[in-house]
Amino acid sequence: MNVLGIIASGVAALFITVALAKSARRVALRPHAPDEPGGRAPRADVLRRTGGATAVLGVGTATGAALWLGAADGSAGSVGGLLAGAGTVAVLGLVHDLKPLGAAPRLAVQTGAAVLVVCLAGLSPAAGVLAALWIVLVTNAFALLDHAHGLLTAVGLVTAAGLLACAVVGGDPALALLPTTLLAGLSGFLLHTWHPARLRLGAVGAQFTGFALAASGALVLAAAPAGRTAWAALPVLATVALADSALVLISRRSAGRSPLRDTDDHIAHRLRRVRVTVPGAAVLAALWAAVPVASGTLVYAELLHPAFLLLPLAGTAAAVYVLLRIPAYAPPRTAQSRTGSSRTASSRTTSSGVAPSRTAAARRTGATGAGAVIPAAAGAPGAQGAAPGQGAARTAAGQPTVPPPPTGRPAAEAATAAAERG
C-alpha cells in the first residue's frame, strides 16, 4: 500500500478539478449571442448545469492514474469496480442533465452499477444483495441533497472525511483512495458551487458523489475486522441524506402528493422559509452531518460505545419533526375562496380606475352626448295633450306617450341615473 501515492492522488484531484472548473466557469460566464431576446446562450446554460462533470473528471482521472501506478496494491479490483460503477452512474447523470430520464431507467442503471461493485469486491450473495440495495438507496438520497447551492458539496465533504478515517482505521487503506480523491475534488469545486453558484453539480456530479460515498461505505463495512461494530457505525454517516429523504416522503404522503414529483419541500427549502440564508442552510447541514459522522467514526474506531449513536439519531428524528412543522405547500384554494377572491378583484378593479361594464357603458353613453340636451319629443299627428287631472297624454291610437326628460338635463346624468336604477 503506497500511502504517499494516495496523498499524491488527492493533490492531483484537487488541482485537476480546480483547473477544469475555472475554465468551465470562464466559458459559462462569457457573453454570447443568445438565441432568444434577453436569454442566455444554450452553451453557457449547459456548462453551468453540468459543471459537476469537472469534479467527476478530476476525481476519476486522479483515481485511475493511482490504480495504474499500483497505489491500491491488492485491493485494485475493489477500487477499480468502485470507480467503474461511479463512472457509469456519472454518465447516466450527464444524460439526465441533457435530456431528463424517467425513474425506471435511472434505477436500472444504478442497480447494474451497484451489482458490478459488489461482484468485483467478492462479497457473498447475501451481503452483495444488501450492499447493492444500500448503494442504490443512499445514492438517490445524496442526489436529493442537490437542491441548494453548496449543500451537497458541504455534506459530501464531511461524509468523505469520515469514510477516509474509517478506511484508515479499518486496516485497509486502499479503500481510502476514492474517498481521498473525492474529498479533494469536492474541496476544489466548493468555491464554484457556493452561493451564488457559478457552476452546479447537476445530476452528473450528484449521482457520482452519492454513488462513490455509498459504495465506499459498503466496501469499508465489508472489509471491517471481525468484532468491530461497523454495522452500526457506517450507516450513520448517511444520516442527513436519509433524513432529507424521510422528510420529503413523509411530507408528500401527508399532503397527498406524488413522492416522485420534486418540489420545494427539502431541508434547505424549509430553512429558507424561516429566514435562513442559502449559505447558512449549507453550513447548518454540514454541521448536522458532522455530528453523526464523528460519532460513527469514533464508534468504528472502538473509542466510543455504540449506544452513543442513539444521541445523533434521536437528534435527527427531532430535527425532522421540527422541519415537518414548517409549511412547505400552499393551502388548496376552495370554491368559496375563489369566489371571494374574484369579488375582491372586481372591487379592486373598480377602485383602481377600471369601472364595471355597466358603469363603463353609462360613461360611454355620456361621452357620446356630452354637453348635449335631449330635445322635447315632437307631438305625433293627432296627439292630444294631457288635460289637468286626466293622467298622461295619449296618442290618437290611445297609447300613452313616453314623457321626455326635463329640458336641459345633461345626457350623462340621465344615463348614469338609469344605470344606477338598473
Side-chain angles (χ1 to χ4, degrees):
M1 173 62 199
N2 190 351
V3 178
L4 293 178
I6 293 181
I7 297 176
S9 301
V11 175
L14 175 63
F15 281 101
I16 294 174
T17 302
V18 169
L20 292 177
K22 189 174 182 179
S23 301
R25 176 177 176 175
R26 287 179 177 177
V27 175
L29 298 180
R30 185 182 303 169
H32 299 281
D35 288 347
E36 298 179 359
R40 184 178 291 272
R43 183 172 64 176
D45 285 338
V46 171
L47 284 174
R48 292 184 63 188
R49 187 169 61 250
T50 62
T54 59
V56 173
L57 290 175
V59 174
T61 301
T63 306
L67 289 175
W68 182 64
L69 295 174
D73 292 342
S75 300
S78 299
V79 179
L82 181 57
L83 181 61
T88 302
V89 173
V91 174
L92 170 70
L94 181 61
V95 174
H96 182 67
D97 281 330
L98 299 178
K99 186 178 181 180
L101 302 174
R106 285 183 290 166
L107 288 176
V109 175
Q110 292 168 1
T111 304
V115 171
L116 174 64
V117 171
V118 299
C119 289
L120 293 180
L123 300 181
S124 62
V129 171
L130 293 177
L133 294 176
W134 171 259
I135 291 172
V136 173
L137 173 64
V138 177
T139 297
N140 290 280
F142 270 100
L144 288 177
L145 288 178
D146 189 32
H147 59 267
H149 296 173
L151 183 64
L152 175 59
T153 309
V155 175
L157 282 172
V158 176
T159 309
L163 287 173
L164 174 60
C166 290
V168 173
V169 172
D172 193 359
L175 295 178
L177 177 58
L178 187 56
T180 301
T181 55
L182 183 63
L183 178 64
L186 292 179
S187 300
F189 192 76
L190 180 62
L191 180 62
H192 303 282
T193 191
W194 197 254
H195 183 75
R198 302 298 188 272
L199 299 175
R200 292 179 50 198
L201 275 175
V204 53
Q207 295 281 343
F208 179 84
T209 301
F211 190 92
L213 293 173
S216 296
L219 294 186
V220 171
L221 175 61
R228 197 179 295 272
T229 54
W231 62 271
L234 287 176
V236 180
L237 273 64
T239 298
V240 174
L242 295 177
D244 181 72
S245 300
L247 173 68
V248 167
L249 292 177
I250 295 174
S251 179
R252 294 177 185 174
R253 180 65 180 272
S254 301
R257 293 172 175 260
S258 172
L260 300 180
R261 184 177 180 181
D262 198 12
T263 184
D264 297 341
D265 54 0
H266 295 269
I267 291 177
H269 299 143
R270 297 174 188 267
L271 291 177
R272 289 288 294 148
R273 287 181 171 85
V274 292
R275 305 289 182 88
V276 178
T277 62
V278 177
V283 172
L284 287 177
L287 294 177
W288 182 0
V291 176
V293 165
S295 302
T297 303
L298 293 176
V299 170
Y300 185 83
E302 298 182 340
L303 299 176
L304 200 65
H305 194 273
F308 283 94
L309 293 177
L310 297 177
L311 295 177
L313 293 179
T316 298
V320 171
Y321 176 78
V322 172
L323 289 172
L324 283 173
R325 309 300 296 177
I326 301 176
Y329 312 112
R333 297 178 60 188
T334 60
Q336 182 178 1
S337 63
R338 286 195 296 267
T339 305
S341 62
S342 62
R343 292 178 179 176
T344 306
S346 176
S347 62
R348 290 179 180 175
T349 305
T350 305
S351 61
S352 63
V354 181
S357 58
R358 185 177 297 175
T359 308
R363 291 184 177 179
R364 286 194 299 268
T365 305
T368 305
V373 178
I374 300 178
Q384 298 177 357
Q390 295 182 358
R394 294 179 179 271
T395 62
Q399 300 295 331
T401 59
V402 179
T407 305
R409 189 175 184 182
E413 295 181 5
T416 304
E420 292 178 353
R421 289 193 303 268

